Amino acid sequence: MLGRSSKAAKVAEELSHYGGVRGRSLARDALQRFLSNKAAIFCVFFLAAIVLFVLFGPALAKWNNEEIDWAVLGDIAAQGMPSVQSGHYFGTDELGRDLYSRTIQATGTSLMVGLIGTAMALVVGTTWGVTAGYLGGRVDSIMMRIVDILYSVPITLVVILILVVAGRSFTTLFIALGSVSWLTMSRIVRAQTLALKNREFIEAARAGGVSELMIVVRHIIPNLLGVLIVYASLLVPDLIFAESFISFLGLGISEPYTSLGALISEGAGTMGYGTLWQLLVPLFFYVSITFTMFFIGDGLRDALDPKDR
Amino acid sequence: MLAYTIRRLAGSIPTILVLIVASFFLMRLAPGGPFTSERPLPPEVLANIEARYGLDQPLWKQLWDYLLNIILRFDFGPSLVFKDRDVSDIISQGLPITLTYGLLTFVVATVVGVSLGVYAAMHHNTWVDYLAVSLGIFAQSLPNFIMGPVLILIFTLWLGWLPGGGWNGGQWPYLIMPVIALSTSYIGSITRITRSAMLEVLNSNYVRTARAKGLSERSIIWRHTLKPTLLPVVSYLGPVFVYVVTGSVFVDIYFSTGGLGQYFVSAALTRDYSVLLGITILYGVLTVIVNLLTDLAYAWLDPKIRL
Amino acid sequence: MVYVMHSTRKIANPVMSVFTIENLRVTFDTTDGVVEAVKDISLNVAEGECLGIVGESGSGKSQTFLAALGLLAVNGSASGSVRLCGQEILNASRIDLNQLRGNDVGMIFQDPLTALTPHLRIGQQMAEVLKAHRGMSNRQSRQLCLAWLDRVRIPDAAARLKQYPHELSGGMRQRVMIAMAMLCEPKLLIADEPTTALDVTVQADILDLMSEMQHQHGTAIALVTHDMGVVARLCDRVQVMRSGECVERGSVEQIFAASQNAYTRSLLEAMPRLDSELNRSSFKAGAAKQVLDVQDIKIDFAVKSSGGLFARRTLLRAVDGVSFDLHEGETLGIVGESGCGKSTLARAVLQLLKTTSGNVAWLGTNLQQLDKQALKAARRDMQIVFQDPFASLDPRMTIADSIAEPLRTYRSELSRREIRQCVGDMMQRVGLEPQLINRYPHELSGGQNQRVGIARAMINRPRMIVCDEAVSALDVSVQAQIMDLLKDLQAEYGLSMLFISHDLSVVGEMSDRIMVIYMGRVVELGRSEVICQHPGHPYTQALISAVPIPDPRVERNRERIRLAGELPSAIDPDSAFRFLPSRLSAKVIGDPPQLQQVGEGHFVAEHDPVDSLLA
């Protein structure tokens, strides 16, 4: 208690002693610009609502995602419609399972894929790109050659190959998506690092005796953040697309777990039989998520890179 | 320009070789194969089959033969599942179909996207511009597997105007929906790329010079801004090609067009490695070629790169 | 307001005015609100006259003319009156303006590389002007284009028509711009900082060319510039602008000799002058200790040259056998035009890049042989200040963090408070107010940022600093302040200084000795006043005669020394013999020119007689 208060007192003293005006950092400026972008802010709230729905929606569910409602199974088109009374708020699927619970589970999967895949891409892509760009020379050519080769194979097909080879499972899917999603990121990071490396403030740091590692940590990475945030936010919908695409083809994660792609695929298969909600519900969620993500990413780019408007 | 082309071509050969070798090992090292079924085959039968497909040879020998066959005879070996079909047969049957609607998609996405983008940029900060940007983002979030069902729902089930699938020699009613389904999302992204590139060019010093010379707006747009505006679009075409190739898998299955994608998925489900390998390599080679072409187009647009 | 404007228009103008601006006001609608760039500007340009509009950055001088011709950015708007030959043109329709622009009014801009369309050939860009205004076909216009390229003295004009802008040198591009602007023989030529991006010798050529246009073709010129020297050379009348307003107007003689305005006078006083008597250095090299000894440094860069099937790597020798020394408390000026290798040399001295051969010794120890740790220790004594104050500061760090960085590297024993204390003291020393401590570079002006850069360089009390074009990007008045600051700090800390610049008048004012570099080789080295007043080498002579002196009486009576021919390529091995062609043409390629002592501490590279090298 005592230690803390003396520390606090010291901080307070320092603050009052050097009571200069707080500067507006680039990050604060960017945040200000982002906050004034009404469409993007609306999308942030919309996306937050979807996330909250995924987190707390199950509390309202009357059925879980595996149970089959035998009462409606015979006549889905008439009995499995969305209704509050039956407890199937979004109706049921072809097998009489509750679409509400299944949609929540599927949306969760999609969001997880987007987030975890992007996190992997950030870690691997940044490390790869910064290393290649900063070291330059032969290391750079070899590392970027590898990226080029991986790039020349359609990535989603590679993921399918990996799933085929290693077997279909949740973990494999994450690893497969993560192992190819970093390619674009590494290219962007490398290009940025190359540009930064020749800036005078890096030279100034070097002339000031700062070690190469510290230059990367203190000067290169912080200056990459803006670009990283923008491309990460645009990568999320890309990954959600890839996962849904694979699931649509029936090559993604397996039952009883499902994903938006698989639900859309099922819905598309039955839309001729008067059960249109089976298509429209997952479709609405998919389009909402990717649309808001793209809009947010766009807003972030405008905010962080004001010249590119 | 010729020297540049040859140099770029030579540079892509190692890429293709590494691609072949890597996919080859990925497939061969995979646990399980088309002959691993629920009921284990007697060892002698398995040995027999493996001998027939050359699977008993040392790995490097298999790779060498495989490479030689591809290079000398464009032969990817026999399918492991369809007993009497070669991978090359499957390719020569499926590829023309995929290429037809693939190229059409490519052209539609580029032409529509670029026109919309240029139009939006010319009307910067008007409602046309805002509409184009919002629609662009919306279109971007409508991938093929969303567009496909929606199109069929509207045009086949409700309106009954277009056939719900099939190929029929590539007649246009059979082409419309696959092409729209594949291109919508890229029309969106190309529109946005074009728009922001165009805006940057319109703010450049040389456009100011062109205005100061008293040139008409039309000649400024066509002569001075179009080429530099296309630069970022051209570098995006490589990725678009990859997406179209990927999307063809969906189209071939959903619209039953009979293209390569259909074989790719069925091979993936049955672990027909030679077909998977063949199609992957083919797609890889095509991508390398497209990237080469986009590089050449880039060099044509930008005299600073022309060598 | 409206009727006043109408009534003024009816009164016949006593002077034949080609171009008149009255009460022009330009505003920009930005996210931070409406910004007024030009407030109530009036000016007129008479037939065949050259009017200079002088001002520092942000004075609204360029926007005035862009607004007049309807070339403002979309968020800008203008009000007032602009008349070309009596006809109102402000905010006229695009179609009406297009008939004037390029036809009655020609414009040239600051940066000729970005001002020309990169993907169109020179010929195409010129021909389209004639097509738009004269309806000429490409074939008809070709003759006229060729004639104009000849008139602006572009050699081999027919071949140039087929080239792209990036294939020409900066000076060539600006000549093309002038030829293009003159194609329709406009009544008025607006030149917006036409020589700012160019080397002095090229600048002198371009100014001569513009003066020729004015006198031979009777073209009126409106010259927008920040450089009083350029005004002194070219203009008949001057109008001085400051933050969107006109502070003084008058004839050139009047303004330079007897300015009534304090701001104008401060601008004139801030201009460093090559012929100034103050440049005499009081430094005695013999008494001071030698700190830096550079011997025969050579630096090669591998350049990828393409064409042919295989990419080849050619060696470009950026620095070719440079030797010099520096004494304690002395300033050595290094001067040369762009691409001569002066910045490369500076970085080699600080071991920021590898030398191909040669020695750099600091206080007797050879820096090239030191290991990482020892080099880090040695670097504490040697610091650098860069050209671009924004680019040399990390945009994500507060300026205090930037200044403190060398402290954190070398004096890790200091507590946070002590660091803050040090930073605060240093900020005060370089003239930064203490409340700026938490600011970021983008919130400060160029001059303030350069002070931050200097504070960072000085915080560890180095014994030598390298100033690489440290004042070149700044406005004249700020430039003078920073030069004074550097001189003060030098006197206070006994610093040695390498002062690198392309601007001979700045170097002349700062340095005790001057080293002139041409294509990676030293052509002359000597005491500052000797170099400025009695240069020995033809290149130095040409350079000095090209630097405009901000005094019209002196400037217009000086004789230009113009060298024959173009700059050779740096890859060309013969480039070393540029001033010694006799040794080259004798078919016996002998030793490259050596420095020869001609006076006390005055060295001049061997060269052919000056007369044989002139144009």
Side-chain angles (χ1 to χ4, degrees):
Chain A
M1 193 62 197
L2 199 72
R4 246 183 87 192
S5 68
S6 77
K7 201 174 165 190
K10 205 176 150 194
V11 171
E13 184 203 41
E14 262 182 38
L15 280 178
S16 59
H17 191 258
Y18 299 102
V21 188
R22 241 186 94 76
R24 279 160 56 213
S25 68
L26 292 177
R28 274 227 328 225
D29 275 1
L31 185 68
Q32 214 76 51
R33 278 193 293 268
F34 185 75
L35 290 177
S36 63
N37 183 341
K38 289 196 188 67
I41 291 298
F42 174 78
C43 286
V44 168
F45 279 109
F46 199 93
L47 194 65
I50 293 180
V51 172
L52 289 178
F53 173 69
V54 169
L55 291 177
F56 301 109
L60 296 172
K62 295 227 175 84
W63 305 80
N64 73 23
N65 61 331
E66 288 178 63
E67 280 172 291
I68 294 169
D69 185 356
W70 300 101
V72 302
L73 192 55
D75 189 8
I76 302 282
Q79 312 243 311
M81 291 188 57
S83 107
V84 180
Q85 271 138 19
S86 68
H88 301 297
Y89 311 122
F90 293 168
T92 68
D93 71 358
E94 216 31 43
L95 292 174
R97 291 175 297 190
D98 182 32
L99 202 55
Y100 177 78
S101 284
R102 284 177 70 73
T103 304
I104 288 179
Q105 195 265 315
T107 311
T109 309
S110 290
L111 289 173
M112 285 283 278
V113 166
L115 288 181
I116 296 181
T118 305
M120 285 172 78
L122 271 177
V123 174
V124 182
T126 312
T127 319
W128 195 274
V130 168
T131 313
Y134 196 74
L135 294 180
R138 190 149 296 163
V139 181
D140 180 34
S141 354
I142 292 172
M143 287 178 87
M144 287 337 276
R145 199 61 197 244
I146 293 172
V147 173
D148 283 348
I149 290 170
L150 287 174
Y151 228 87
S152 64
V153 201
I155 291 176
T156 317
L157 301 190
V158 177
V159 174
I160 293 177
L161 287 187
I162 296 177
L163 283 171
V164 168
V165 169
R168 286 158 54 189
S169 78
F170 220 68
T171 351
T172 322
L173 184 67
F174 279 129
I175 293 174
L177 279 174
S179 62
V180 290
S181 62
W182 56 275
L183 294 173
T184 319
M185 192 70 88
S186 73
R187 277 190 170 180
I188 291 161
V189 167
R190 170 180 170 272
Q192 286 286 316
T193 308
L194 278 180
L196 279 174
K197 187 170 87 166
N198 294 323
R199 292 274 292 277
E200 283 178 346
F201 69 86
I202 300 293
E203 223 169 10
R206 200 168 291 144
V210 183
S211 71
E212 300 296 309
L213 187 67
M214 278 314 279
I215 289 180
V216 170
V217 173
R218 209 185 277 162
H219 295 289
I220 302 261
I221 306 249
N223 278 291
L224 285 173
L225 278 181
V227 179
L228 287 180
I229 290 172
V230 169
Y231 282 92
S233 69
L234 294 173
L235 188 59
V236 176
D238 260 10
L239 285 170
I240 292 178
F241 161 75
E243 186 275 332
S244 298
F245 182 82
I246 294 165
S247 300
F248 187 98
L249 298 177
L251 297 164
I253 54 174
S254 36
E255 294 286 344
Y257 297 109
T258 188
S259 94
L260 287 175
L263 286 183
I264 293 170
S265 169
E266 286 167 24
T270 60
M271 65 190 179
Y273 312 133
T275 55
L276 210 51
W277 65 85
Q278 293 176 358
L279 173 66
L280 293 184
V281 169
L283 195 142
F284 169 78
F285 275 87
Y286 176 87
V287 175
S288 302
I289 291 175
T290 47
F291 182 65
T292 50
M293 284 304 304
F294 274 128
F295 233 106
I296 293 169
D298 210 48
L300 284 173
R301 176 165 39 204
D302 284 352
L304 290 160
D305 183 12
K307 83 168 168 54
D308 185 39
R309 208 167 297 186
Chain B
M1 194 79 178
L2 183 71
Y4 177 72
T5 315
I6 295 173
R7 236 179 319 134
R8 283 286 285 105
L9 257 175
S12 48
I13 289 171
T15 310
I16 292 174
L17 278 181
V18 171
L19 173 74
I20 296 179
V21 173
S23 349
F24 180 84
F25 280 111
L26 184 68
M27 302 290 171
R28 283 296 184 272
L29 296 177
F35 315 119
T36 10
S37 46
E38 262 101 87
R39 205 162 27 88
L41 292 167
E44 51 281 14
V45 179
L46 198 63
N48 227 335
I49 297 177
E50 289 194 332
R52 199 185 135 209
Y53 289 103
L55 296 176
D56 56 343
Q57 305 266 351
L59 216 49
W60 65 266
K61 179 86 167 67
Q62 291 182 33
L63 173 65
W64 181 245
D65 290 344
Y66 189 71
L67 270 177
L68 276 187
N69 278 332
I70 295 178
I71 295 164
L72 298 179
R73 276 171 280 149
F74 196 66
D75 179 5
F76 294 89
S79 159
L80 299 182
V81 173
F82 302 102
K83 291 290 174 278
D84 41 332
R85 291 183 75 179
D86 279 351
V87 179
S88 322
D89 293 343
I90 293 175
I91 288 179
S92 56
Q93 200 176 1
L95 185 63
I97 297 175
T98 308
L99 275 186
T100 306
Y101 68 77
L103 286 179
L104 208 56
T105 303
F106 218 56
V107 172
V108 167
T110 315
V111 171
V112 177
V114 168
S115 322
L116 283 178
V118 168
Y119 194 77
M122 284 172 67
H123 298 83
H124 187 40
N125 282 340
T126 64
W127 66 270
V128 183
D129 185 29
Y130 298 133
L131 187 71
V133 172
S134 307
L135 278 182
I137 297 182
F138 187 59
Q140 253 186 305
S141 39
L142 294 177
N144 45 49
F145 64 86
I146 300 275
M147 285 305 286
V150 171
L151 286 173
I152 289 204
L153 187 65
I154 296 173
F155 292 103
T156 308
L157 293 181
W158 290 350
L159 300 172
W161 289 354
L162 292 169
W167 183 241
N168 211 358
Q171 286 173 338
W172 68 265
Y174 295 86
L175 273 172
I176 292 179
M177 287 201 293
V179 169
I180 296 180
L182 266 182
S183 56
T184 305
S185 161
Y186 309 113
I187 290 177
S189 39
I190 291 177
T191 302
R192 295 177 57 211
I193 291 172
T194 309
R195 174 184 166 273
S196 65
M198 182 81 173
L199 284 179
E200 199 162 302
V201 175
L202 284 176
N203 278 323
S204 71
N205 283 349
Y206 57 85
V207 167
R208 188 179 61 185
T209 308
R211 294 227 162 92
K213 291 199 292 196
L215 303 182
S216 68
E217 204 61 16
R218 219 176 78 172
S219 106
I220 289 175
I221 298 293
W222 280 101
R223 278 171 66 94
H224 291 262
T225 67
L226 207 56
K227 269 190 173 185
T229 297
L230 285 177
L231 285 175
V233 178
V234 164
S235 43
Y236 181 63
L237 287 184
V240 168
F241 178 80
V242 171
Y243 290 129
V244 168
V245 160
T246 314
S248 74
V249 174
F250 161 80
V251 167
D252 286 332
I253 289 179
Y254 197 73
F255 293 101
S256 323
T257 39
L260 270 187
Q262 203 164 325
Y263 296 101
F264 185 83
V265 174
S266 65
L269 291 170
T270 56
R271 295 174 178 253
D272 190 345
Y273 289 140
S274 55
V275 173
L276 272 182
L277 197 52
I279 296 179
T280 309
I281 291 169
L282 181 75
Y283 280 166
V285 172
L286 283 178
T287 313
V288 168
I289 292 173
V290 168
N291 281 333
L292 180 69
L293 289 177
T294 55
D295 278 0
L296 292 179
Y298 204 95
W300 174 72
L301 290 170
D302 186 357
K304 269 176 258 175
I305 300 177
R306 207 176 302 173
L307 306 163
Chain C
M1 244 359 235
V2 177
Y3 70 87
V4 175
M5 269 156 50
H6 278 284
S7 64
T8 48
R9 201 192 289 180
K10 276 172 193 152
I11 300 166
N13 211 332
V15 192
M16 271 302 285
S17 174
V18 177
F19 186 69
T20 312
I21 294 181
E22 265 166 27
N23 309 107
L24 182 74
R25 190 169 167 270
V26 179
T27 53
F28 288 96
D29 208 359
T30 69
T31 43
D32 300 328
V34 176
V35 177
E36 201 172 28
V38 178
K39 311 162 191 161
D40 195 27
I41 283 289
S42 300
L43 57 83
N44 71 77
V45 188
E47 216 165 68
E49 144 186 90
C50 177
L51 173 72
I53 294 90
V54 197
E56 295 187 295
S57 51
S59 62
K61 54 191 191 300
S62 297
Q63 298 304 336
T64 303
F65 287 92
L66 290 179
L69 291 184
L71 294 171
L72 281 182
V74 273
N75 62 341
S77 57
S79 63
S81 160
V82 175
R83 290 193 302 277
L84 185 74
C85 306
Q87 186 193 349
E88 178 66 45
I89 62 167
L90 188 66
N91 299 327
S93 76
R94 191 183 282 162
I95 294 167
D96 291 342
L97 279 172
N98 274 344
Q99 285 173 355
L100 305 169
R101 299 193 289 217
N103 193 10
D104 295 328
V105 186
M107 264 191 112
I108 54 180
F109 298 99
Q110 173 172 356
D111 182 358
L113 178 60
T114 59
L116 288 165
T117 305
H119 63 267
L120 290 178
R121 296 170 199 276
I122 300 298
Q124 292 174 305
Q125 302 196 42
M126 291 181 75
E128 65 185 359
V129 179
L130 290 169
K131 194 176 177 192
H133 296 295
R134 298 277 183 274
M136 283 186 179
S137 72
N138 284 350
R139 196 172 301 164
Q140 290 169 312
S141 60
R142 195 183 139 85
Q143 280 315 314
L144 197 54
C145 292
L146 279 176
W148 269 103
L149 286 184
D150 273 341
R151 234 168 277 175
V152 297
R153 290 194 291 278
I154 287 183
D156 203 5
R160 304 290 175 199
L161 284 179
K162 291 201 194 83
Q163 283 184 309
Y164 291 97
H166 72 272
E167 295 171 305
L168 304 181
S169 68
M172 285 287 185
R173 284 183 212 127
Q174 199 59 297
R175 284 163 204 256
V176 169
M177 280 298 284
I178 294 179
M180 196 157 73
M182 292 297 295
L183 274 176
C184 296
E185 308 226 3
K187 301 183 186 84
L188 174 71
L189 180 67
I190 298 173
D192 187 356
E193 301 269 12
T195 56
T196 308
L198 305 174
D199 279 327
V200 260
T201 48
V202 183
Q203 159 171 305
D205 290 344
I206 297 290
L207 293 179
D208 286 352
L209 191 60
M210 286 174 59
S211 152
E212 213 176 291
M213 297 298 141
Q214 184 195 350
H215 294 115
Q216 289 181 5
H217 299 271
T219 314
I221 296 179
L223 177 72
V224 177
T225 182
H226 69 281
D227 190 338
M228 280 292 191
V230 170
V231 173
R233 174 165 294 189
L234 207 59
C235 298
D236 305 313
R237 283 193 306 123
V238 191
Q239 201 149 332
V240 183
M241 277 182 77
R242 184 191 196 182
S243 39
E245 282 165 311
C246 174
V247 296
E248 192 175 12
R249 64 184 78 198
S251 72
V252 170
E253 292 77 18
Q254 216 177 323
I255 295 280
F256 277 85
S259 165
Q260 301 299 307
N261 182 278
Y263 176 70
T264 312
R265 278 201 306 276
S266 75
L267 270 188
L268 284 169
E269 278 157 24
M271 279 292 290
R273 282 181 66 155
L274 202 52
D275 57 347
S276 161
E277 285 303 307
L278 296 170
N279 286 357
R280 194 164 294 273
S281 142
S282 55
F283 186 80
K284 295 273 176 289
K289 184 169 105 184
Q290 186 192 56
V291 284
L292 181 73
D293 186 20
V294 175
Q295 286 300 329
D296 198 25
I297 275 202
K298 291 186 176 136
I299 301 163
D300 291 341
F301 288 121
V303 217
K304 268 196 195 133
S305 68
S306 32
L309 275 191
F310 301 98
R312 278 176 308 232
R313 290 166 87 82
T314 323
L315 284 185
L316 176 111
R317 180 149 286 183
V319 175
D320 189 5
V322 172
S323 308
F324 63 91
D325 62 352
L326 184 66
H327 297 86
E328 198 156 44
E330 182 193 30
T331 302
L332 175 67
I334 302 179
V335 72
E337 294 184 294
S338 55
C340 73
K342 53 190 191 301
S343 291
T344 312
L345 180 65
R347 281 161 177 72
V349 168
L350 295 175
Q351 301 294 304
L352 290 173
L353 51 80
K354 272 208 161 60
T355 51
T356 309
S357 71
N359 288 322
V360 179
W362 172 252
L363 297 172
T365 29
N366 192 337
L367 290 177
Q368 282 131 315
Q369 286 156 6
L370 296 181
D371 61 8
K372 258 189 180 169
Q373 223 39 48
L375 182 62
K376 186 183 159 187
R379 270 189 181 153
R380 190 175 161 172
D381 284 340
M382 297 176 281
Q383 285 301 318
I384 180 165
V385 180
F386 293 96
Q387 168 168 16
D388 185 344
F390 289 101
S392 57
L393 295 173
D394 189 332
R396 298 200 176 261
M397 279 190 173
T398 62
I399 61 165
D401 283 340
S402 282
I403 297 173
E405 189 165 44
L407 275 183
R408 286 198 273 166
T409 335
Y410 286 107
R411 300 176 65 188
S412 45
E413 80 280 359
L414 293 183
S415 73
R416 289 183 64 137
R417 281 203 68 163
E418 286 168 319
I419 287 185
R420 282 242 149 185
Q421 190 63 46
C422 273
V423 169
D425 292 348
M426 187 43 85
M427 281 175 67
Q428 202 166 13
R429 181 63 199 85
V430 298
L432 286 166
E433 290 156 40
Q435 67 260 31
L436 294 176
I437 196 156
N438 286 323
R439 295 287 182 155
Y440 288 86
H442 65 110
E443 298 177 285
L444 304 186
S445 69
Q448 285 173 321
N449 275 318
Q450 197 58 300
R451 286 173 198 271
V452 174
I454 292 171
R456 174 177 58 188
M458 300 302 261
I459 193 137
N460 273 325
R461 305 284 158 105
R463 302 180 62 173
M464 174 182 81
I465 63 167
V466 175
C467 298
D468 184 10
E469 301 272 11
V471 297
S472 306
L474 306 172
D475 277 328
V476 200
S477 51
V478 184
Q479 185 177 36
Q481 291 164 12
I482 297 289
M483 280 161 68
D484 287 344
L485 173 65
L486 285 170
K487 278 190 216 162
D488 288 353
L489 288 169
Q490 177 173 36
E492 192 177 327
Y493 299 146
L495 275 176
S496 310
M497 205 188 302
L498 282 182
F499 193 88
I500 297 166
S501 178
H502 68 279
D503 188 340
L504 197 51
S505 34
V506 170
V507 172
E509 192 173 318
M510 287 297 291
S511 317
D512 303 308
R513 282 190 300 152
I514 294 179
M515 180 161 85
V516 184
I517 298 202
Y518 175 76
M519 312 247 4
R521 306 180 64 88
V522 178
V523 295
E524 191 162 359
L525 170 67
R527 295 179 66 81
S528 181
E529 63 272 17
V530 176
I531 298 276
C532 292
Q533 267 134 45
H534 311 288
H537 196 276
Y539 178 69
T540 320
Q541 291 173 359
L543 207 58
I544 285 175
S545 80
V547 177
I549 288 173
D551 183 344
R553 279 170 308 178
V554 181
E555 179 60 22
R556 290 178 192 196
N557 294 319
R558 283 205 311 163
E559 204 184 330
R560 272 280 318 276
I561 296 171
R562 209 181 279 139
L563 295 169
E566 273 277 297
L567 273 180
S569 154
I571 304 173
D572 182 358
D574 294 345
S575 65
F577 296 95
R578 173 75 168 77
F579 297 101
L580 200 54
S582 59
R583 201 174 285 176
L584 192 65
S585 54
K587 290 262 172 193
V588 206
I589 297 182
D591 294 330
Q594 302 296 311
L595 283 180
Q596 289 177 328
Q597 185 152 14
V598 296
E600 196 208 330
H602 187 194
F603 299 86
V604 178
E606 295 171 280
H607 58 87
D608 285 345
V610 175
D611 295 338
S612 70
L613 296 165
L614 297 184

